[in-house]
Amino acid sequence: MHEGRLVRCGGWEKSYLEKKDLSFDIHFFDESLTPENREKASEYDVVSVFVESSVTEKVLKDFEGRMVACRSTGFDHVDTDYAASEGIAVCNVPKYGDSTVAEHTFGLILTLNRKINKAIEKVEDGDFSNEGLRGYDLAGKKLGVVGTGSIGKKVIDIANGFDMQVIASDPYPDREAASEKDFMYVSRKDLVKKADIVTLHCPLTDETKHLLSKEEFDLMDDTVLVNTARGKLIDTEALIEGLDDGGVRCAGLDVLEAEGYVEDDVEALSLEDQKDMEVVLEDHLLIDRDDVVVTPHNGFNSVEAMQRIADGTIENIEKGKNIVNRPGK
Ligand code: NAI
């Protein structure tokens, strides 16, 4: 039996890992892990996946006692409870991309606030006038950070550099960080009401699904919204309404609610639930809007972060580190 396997790991990642002196064999696959190709994984002790692999109970059947090594911080794409019940350890790579994702967050904020995408398009069309390109300063504006973990804290550091005021919400507030970095914790309701810009940095769980829905968008007023965390944190239908009625001025999204289906018509057609199909259509509506910018889940994608992911994954596999569930069998 092979001891290690990285699934859907091509290009740069593959050549980087091939140069490493590893204590286990490693086999590379181009596709994501699915119920259809799960048989290929059956002979390996470890399967390593990225976020587009949906690692459900169906996929994990007969995987008892092995390991799923996520090459990501988020592990909402893995059924960790089922894995634990089958003695399957699931590990992640925390903290590989705090600055990386925080920088991308500000990339989106600046794109929206200074209309950088529109300015570039204009010049490419030979139009050098700045009509329609007036933006907004960040200095003095109030940034609302939802989730003050590793990435949220980096976002706050950058916001301080821009002379912004910061408010934050988190069920587990870090009071020391609040005093060190000069920000204030408020309720989520107050945050969405008071912030000029709201940015999401919490994990997707059963509790945080649709964390921003009609109720929150109704409290916003000309607010800029940025999401580099997970698409399902936002109720897409409610966001479209918010954009239409002016509660939300504009949105910058690195992640979409129907991610994995929006970009692939064949995948989308495989959806059985009418509601899921509707979300795919709503995501398309968002992408086509002038007041929304979308990047393709690219927040993590820097040279340095990719190296940290690869190195962190190897360490997890070799030393059994960063297990996020309690494998019991
Ligand atoms: P972290 O675990 O360090 O911090 C998450 C914070 O969210 C914690 O402080 C937690 O208490 C807080 N939280 C939990 N529930 C909350 C709620 N209901 N309201 C407000 N805060 C809540 O995680 P980290 O490293 O900061 O990453 C955050 C998320 O960013 C990940 O879970 C992942 O989904 C996403 N991510 C996205 C990437 C991208 O490429 N776009 C790359 C890496 C992470």
Side-chain angles (χ1 to χ4, degrees):
M1 183 180 286
H2 296 290
E3 286 180 352
R5 177 188 188 197
L6 296 196
V7 172
R8 188 146 193 224
C9 191
W12 175 89
E13 249 181 320
K14 184 167 184 267
S15 43
Y16 181 76
L17 288 164
E18 275 171 346
K19 284 187 212 124
K20 293 256 162 194
D21 183 19
L22 300 176
S23 62
F24 51 84
D25 282 350
I26 185 164
H27 291 247
F28 300 95
F29 291 82
D30 287 333
E31 30 353 347
S32 340
L33 186 60
T34 63
E36 289 71 41
N37 67 14
R38 58 179 290 281
E39 280 302 313
K40 289 190 196 169
S42 59
E43 60 181 298
Y44 297 90
D45 291 318
V46 181
V47 175
S48 177
V49 294
F50 190 57
V51 292
E52 81 285 307
S53 288
S54 188
V55 190
T56 56
E57 181 175 335
K58 234 178 183 174
V59 168
L60 289 172
K61 277 260 174 303
D62 311 322
F63 212 68
E64 195 183 323
R66 303 182 197 190
M67 179 192 248
V68 175
C70 298
R71 298 198 306 289
S72 54
T73 302
F75 45 85
D76 47 274
H77 53 299
V78 182
D79 186 340
T80 47
D81 290 340
Y82 176 76
S85 73
E86 291 295 296
I88 303 164
V90 180
C91 61
N92 75 336
V93 189
K95 291 183 167 293
Y96 74 82
D98 308 351
S99 298
T100 314
V101 180
E103 287 170 19
H104 192 79
T105 302
F106 269 85
L108 288 172
I109 292 175
L110 289 167
T111 302
L112 292 167
N113 254 32
R114 302 308 300 266
K115 307 188 181 183
I116 292 172
N117 55 332
K118 290 180 185 160
I120 293 169
E121 265 173 35
K122 255 171 109 87
V123 171
E124 280 176 354
D125 288 345
D127 178 357
F128 284 79
S129 80
N130 56 16
E131 205 185 313
L133 294 181
R134 183 161 304 149
Y136 295 85
D137 285 350
L138 288 185
K141 295 292 184 311
K142 199 167 270 172
L143 180 70
V145 179
V146 180
T148 54
S150 311
I151 297 171
K153 286 197 191 87
K154 280 285 171 196
V155 164
I156 293 170
D157 287 339
I158 300 176
N160 284 336
F162 275 105
D163 280 338
M164 301 180 80
Q165 297 169 38
V166 179
I167 52 177
S169 76
D170 195 308
Y172 305 99
D174 182 342
R175 302 279 173 210
E176 214 178 300
S179 120
E180 241 173 52
K181 296 178 192 292
D182 194 23
F183 67 91
M184 204 169 73
Y185 281 106
V186 296
S187 67
R188 183 161 76 242
K189 196 170 155 191
D190 273 355
L191 183 141
V192 294
K193 234 163 63 182
K194 291 178 179 160
D196 299 299
I197 301 173
V198 171
T199 182
L200 301 184
H201 302 289
C202 60
L204 174 65
T205 60
D206 289 344
E207 289 74 43
T208 60
K209 187 178 177 206
H210 289 183
L211 181 97
L212 296 188
S213 55
K214 184 167 167 39
E215 197 185 336
E216 286 75 26
F217 292 124
D218 282 351
L219 292 169
M220 293 185 183
D221 180 17
D222 203 29
T223 307
V224 176
L225 173 67
V226 174
N227 186 9
T228 56
R230 285 292 182 266
K232 287 192 174 72
L233 294 173
I234 294 177
D235 177 340
T236 308
E237 188 182 357
L239 170 57
I240 292 172
E241 269 175 46
L243 286 157
D244 284 340
D245 70 22
V248 183
R249 183 201 300 157
C250 53
L253 311 170
D254 188 44
V255 284
L256 293 168
E257 190 170 2
E259 206 171 301
Y261 295 97
V262 184
E263 56 271 48
D264 188 334
D265 290 346
V266 179
E267 282 287 316
L269 286 171
S270 73
L271 286 169
E272 281 159 22
D273 192 323
Q274 171 73 20
K275 187 77 197 112
D276 292 340
M277 234 6 233
E278 280 167 24
V279 178
V280 174
L281 293 174
E282 285 157 9
D283 275 348
H284 278 291
L285 291 176
L286 278 181
I287 292 166
D288 288 343
R289 290 181 72 111
D290 256 8
D291 49 6
V292 176
V293 291
V294 178
T295 50
H297 200 146
N298 199 43
F300 69 96
N301 192 12
S302 75
V303 169
E304 296 82 356
M306 292 299 284
Q307 282 180 8
R308 287 191 290 266
I309 293 177
D311 293 341
T313 304
I314 292 166
E315 210 183 339
N316 286 345
I317 293 171
E318 287 182 336
K319 299 184 182 159
K321 283 176 72 177
N322 294 311
I323 308 294
V324 296
N325 64 347
R326 291 172 189 270
K329 227 176 191 179

